Structures are given as structure tokens and as C-alpha cells.
Amino acid sequence: MEFEFLVKKEANFYYFLHNLANLKWPWPARMELVEKYLKRKMWPQVFEKMSEKEKRALLNFKKISQKYFLKVYLGKFFFLWKNPWKELKKKLSNKDVEVLKKAFFIFKEKFNKEFLKVLPKLLEWKRILEKETKKSKIKKLNDFLEKRLSLFYRAPSLKKVKVFLVMNDFPGFGGERGRGLDGKSVFLEICGLNFSRKNLVFSLLWHEVIQGCYSPHYFFPFLKQKIKNEKLVHFAEEIQIRSLFPGYLGKKLFNVKTHKTLGYFLPQNLRITEKKTKKLIELSKQYWEEEKAIDEKYIKKFLEILKIK
């Protein structure tokens, strides 16, 4: 299995506006993190010195993006297509396309300024990851993980995954699942990490690949059948994947230092105890070592530990 690492300016521009507008994400806690960290730590000068014209453009951008949110993640056009505006015209009204274009035009100067700050880091990470994935040891490990994870999550095999590197200089973030893309692509927010932390990045990468490429086929839909609260569905999925990366497999394969609890970076009401963390990791470890696929018995036990119905 191969990874293709990409840095796309257009994709980063949409991602930049998406975060500025604090739009909905598939993972609800993400919005709280954006509000708490990105606005305060990442681009304070953008927020603090925003004109009324910019505020209106951003609000209109948000309205259009949310209007189509349940049908399509508009960012996918900027990640996956060479000419996103041409593709958008096939899905959106001309009026809505013009609203989006106006936001891009108004924020162009500020985006370019922020993008140029992190571009060297993005390109260096791209170089590092391309070099690492060419090593025979990493190639074998990636092939092994692809085979075992497709079995574990009852998902089709993957020959190639596109990995988009996006701007985010805050070190507490790692990635986003890219579920709204095409099931064969993810994006990573790693330019805030030191270049020596390659093992952590690979652990983050496999976490996002599971979430964006494997989980949607069986595990996530099954959770949606079992759990009524949508926010808790995403929460349960995130925790289960964390039990592997950075949990059991992150530590075993990449020597990643794990958190005491799988509930890091979660709202206070969704925190998980160390006792539950150990039980959840042990459950995933057992199924992995026995080369078993996730099944109804596993999910039932998993939700019992979490105490989610």
C-alpha cells in the first residue's frame, strides 16, 4: 500500500476559511478545539483585525457551506479537483458559487501571508514522509497494517491513500479523518510538530486512515444503529480508534508515548478514566492478536465499558 503526500494551496485556502468560520466538523469536539485554540493561538491577528466587509464575507461563506453540509463537504472540491470552481458549478447554484468566490477574494491577502509562514514546514514534512515511506522496513509495515486493518474493520483493501498536509502550526493537533473526501484520502495537521517526531506522525496517519477509509464501511454504520445520540456515535468511534492508535499499535509499532486516558482533547463531560482506558485497549489488543474482525460481540463489550447505549 502506498501513500501520496500532497500540499495543495487551494485545499489549504478552503481549510483556512473553514476554520475561521468555525464550521461544523464530523467530529463535534473539533469545533470546541477550533474556538479555543485556533482563534487564540493560530491566527489571532486575522480575528482581531477583521473588517466588517470580511466578517460579512465569512458569515456568507459559512451559510453556503452549512447549506450543503449534509449532502457534501465543499472542501472536497478543493482537495480532490484541479479546477474546484468548475466542479462546484455542477453542484451549486451560480449565486452560491459567487458567494464562495467572494470570500476567497477578500481573504486572499491574509491567507497568503499565513500560508507562506507554514509552507516551508509543510514541504519539509512532505519530503520527510516521502523519504521514510520509501524505506523497505516502512513499506513492509504499511503493507502489513493495510492487510490487517482491512480485516479488523471489515473493509475493502486500499492500494493507495492520498495524504493532504494542511496548515496548522498549533502542536496539539494531528489530523482529520477526511471522511467527507472520497474514502481514499485524509489530511494531516502536523506542521506544528518537530521534524524528529516521525513515529508520532505515522501513528497519527494510521489513526486518520482508519477513520476516513476503514471505519465507514462497517464499524461506523454499526455504531449509528446502536447509538441514538449522534455526538456519542462520533465519540465512540474516536475512542475505539484511539485504542489502536496511539494506543496498543501506536505504542507497539511506533513506540509512541500514550496518554494515561483515551479521553485527551475531549470535552469535560466525555472524559474517560484510566481504568476504562486499560479495558478498552486490552479489548482491541485481544481481537488484534487473535486476528479477529470487529463483530457485534466486540462492539457490545466496547460500549459496555464506555457505558454508552
Side-chain angles (χ1 to χ4, degrees), residues 84-183:
W85 299 109
K86 181 180 178 181
E87 296 300 322
L88 279 168
K89 286 180 179 178
K90 298 176 183 178
K91 301 289 184 180
L92 280 61
S93 68
N94 289 334
K95 183 180 178 180
D96 288 347
V97 171
E98 290 305 312
V99 169
L100 295 178
K101 279 188 173 182
K102 188 174 182 178
F104 273 75
F105 176 77
I106 289 173
F107 280 93
K108 183 177 180 179
E109 187 176 338
K110 287 188 174 180
F111 163 74
N112 284 336
K113 185 178 179 180
E114 298 302 321
F115 185 63
L116 288 174
K117 287 180 184 178
V118 297
L119 183 58
K121 294 180 181 179
L122 291 171
L123 294 176
E124 179 61 11
W125 266 120
K126 180 178 184 292
R127 186 194 69 78
I128 290 171
L129 293 172
E130 286 175 342
K131 182 180 178 181
E132 288 296 310
T133 50
K134 287 178 182 177
K135 294 178 179 179
S136 59
K137 180 181 177 181
I138 299 297
K139 282 184 176 181
K140 289 178 181 178
L141 180 56
N142 288 341
D143 288 341
F144 165 75
L145 282 172
E146 194 291 317
K147 183 179 180 181
R148 289 295 308 278
L149 287 169
S150 60
L151 168 67
F152 190 82
Y153 285 96
R154 299 176 181 267
S157 296
L158 292 168
K159 292 183 178 180
K160 184 177 182 180
V161 173
K162 290 184 177 181
V163 183
F164 295 92
L165 305 182
V166 294
M167 59 192 295
N168 185 337
D169 212 18
F170 183 72
F173 288 88
E176 268 296 322
R177 66 203 72 189
R179 177 173 291 144
L181 297 178
D182 61 355

Side-chain angles (χ1 to χ4, degrees), residues 241-259:
I241 297 171
R242 287 183 183 186
S243 72
L244 291 178
F245 292 102
Y248 169 58
L249 292 178
K251 186 175 182 180
K252 179 180 180 180
L253 301 177
F254 299 108
N255 197 29
V256 172
K257 184 178 180 181
T258 56
H259 295 260

